[in-house]
Amino acid sequence: YKTKTVFDVVEPHRCTTSLFEYLKHPFLMDSTLVFKCILNKFTACTYITKALMERYAKNKAKSYILPGVITKHGNALPNDISEGSLRMGYLGALIGKDYPELLFKCCQELTAKNIDWTLIIIGRFEFFDEGRKWKNKFSNEFSPSQVKFFHNPSDDKKNKLLENVDFVTMFRKPEALQEYTFPTRSVEVMAQGRVIVSNTFGEFCNYLKESNASILIDDTDVKNSIKDWMENLNSVQYNQMFCSSQKLLDTHFNTYKHCSQLLCFMKNC
């Protein structure tokens, strides 16, 4: 047959600590077999991050980096930000990988600096013990006028909520697994015209850093990161980051461009 097969890799295979893991999680056998023996027998492999390609690809000529992509419908417009207040949003379940402790520290530091800020937390946090614990922690630390929760809203409701914020936090916890992943919902946020606040970890952060498309928080020095953010918070800087993020959507995260490149790539495999 002339059919070409492509395997898409979006995260590393599950690591094992002992042989007992294979009994506890039988799918580990499949995972290990694919990544150790079969992966490089496909016609080609696409990887959501360079880190995954560097780890698994034996033949770079048969490897393609395919990050999160999106098809833009119309052009987003930047918000008219108020330099006297800060409107933030969060999408997620308040669980480990999204680094809720860093979000909490940022809010504490903003309060310590007497910044007028609000945060809306959108996601399925009620489904997880960890998510419920963090919800309670935010509720106990900050006033209801500062932090508002919206559990599992519809897509339409979520989009309307995001229209009322200027920044959306996209933190990744500094751990082995997150080094290889890409937060696909980030491109949706940028397509809605929101500027992302990220931390300096993971591959997604590199796209933002190279194009100056984001506020970057150093989790080892939150105090000075917040200080720098607030000192440079103005409409000029905000519009510059907005334009840079839209350019990313038109280049690195563009569905049509990647489709065209993938077709050429597959013809040569």
Side-chain angles (χ1 to χ4, degrees):
Y1 297 103
K2 294 182 179 180
T3 302
K4 295 184 177 183
T5 57
V6 182
F7 194 91
D8 185 40
V9 183
V10 296
E11 63 183 12
H13 74 292
R14 185 185 174 96
C15 297
T16 58
T17 54
S18 69
L19 291 177
F20 178 70
E21 288 285 311
Y22 287 96
L23 298 177
K24 188 177 179 182
H25 303 285
F27 65 84
L28 266 178
M29 193 70 74
D30 288 343
S31 177
T32 303
L33 180 65
V34 168
F35 280 87
K36 298 286 188 182
C37 306
I38 302 176
L39 189 64
N40 288 283
K41 295 185 182 297
F42 289 93
T43 307
C45 289
T46 56
Y47 299 89
I48 200 167
T49 59
K50 293 178 183 177
L52 283 170
M53 185 181 74
E54 295 296 331
R55 178 171 177 176
Y56 292 113
K58 291 182 180 178
N59 187 345
K60 300 291 179 63
K62 291 186 176 183
S63 305
Y64 183 91
I65 303 297
L66 181 61
V69 296
I70 197 167
T71 303
K72 287 173 64 178
H73 298 286
N75 293 318
L77 296 173
N79 280 357
D80 292 324
I81 67 166
S82 170
E83 297 181 13
S85 61
L86 187 62
R87 303 187 303 172
M88 302 180 293
Y90 163 88
L91 289 175
L94 291 175
I95 55 177
K97 68 183 181 67
D98 290 337
Y99 213 0
E101 54 262 52
L102 179 55
L103 178 61
F104 190 81
K105 286 179 183 177
C106 288
C107 291
Q108 285 182 315
E109 193 58 42
L110 288 167
T111 300
K113 292 186 178 301
N114 295 315
I115 304 298
D116 178 18
W117 62 272
T118 57
L119 169 69
I120 59 172
I121 294 178
I122 308 167
R124 300 180 177 182
F125 43 83
E126 296 285 4
F127 292 153
F128 303 93
D129 287 340
E130 186 179 3
R132 292 191 293 271
K133 288 177 182 177
W134 274 109
K135 178 188 175 183
N136 291 334
K137 192 167 184 178
F138 274 94
S139 298
N140 292 333
E141 180 79 9
F142 309 110
S143 71
S145 63
Q146 287 179 303
V147 183
K148 297 181 180 179
F149 301 89
F150 297 90
H151 171 66
N152 198 24
S154 66
D155 286 343
D156 287 342
K157 175 71 171 176
K158 178 189 73 175
N159 292 336
K160 287 199 174 294
L161 288 168
L162 289 178
E163 289 177 4
N164 296 316
V165 303
D166 304 314
F167 298 92
V168 175
T169 61
M170 288 279 169
F171 297 139
R172 306 303 276 178
K173 190 169 186 177
E175 58 185 16
L177 176 60
Q178 302 311 318
E179 181 182 352
Y180 296 98
T181 60
F182 184 102
T184 52
R185 65 179 179 270
S186 58
V187 293
E188 299 173 13
V189 168
M190 287 193 289
Q192 285 188 264
R194 305 289 78 84
V195 171
I196 288 175
V197 180
S198 180
N199 59 314
T200 53
F201 177 80
E203 199 160 304
F204 174 61
C205 150
N206 294 335
Y207 289 102
L208 301 173
K209 190 186 301 182
E210 289 169 7
S211 58
N212 294 315
S214 170
I215 296 295
L216 293 178
I217 303 294
D218 181 354
D219 54 5
T220 65
D221 192 2
V222 177
K223 184 175 182 178
N224 280 321
S225 293
I226 295 295
K227 177 175 176 289
D228 291 342
W229 181 10
M230 293 302 102
E231 286 179 351
N232 295 290
L233 180 60
N234 57 66
S235 57
V236 173
Q237 188 217 34
Y238 185 83
N239 288 336
Q240 179 270 315
M241 290 188 293
F242 167 83
C243 291
S244 295
S245 64
Q246 295 305 299
K247 187 175 181 180
L248 278 174
L249 294 178
D250 293 330
T251 53
H252 294 292
F253 308 142
N254 185 292
T255 302
Y256 294 115
K257 287 190 176 182
H258 276 289
C259 283
S260 177
Q261 291 169 6
L262 270 171
L263 287 172
C264 293
F265 171 72
M266 289 304 297
K267 286 178 182 179
N268 295 322
C269 285

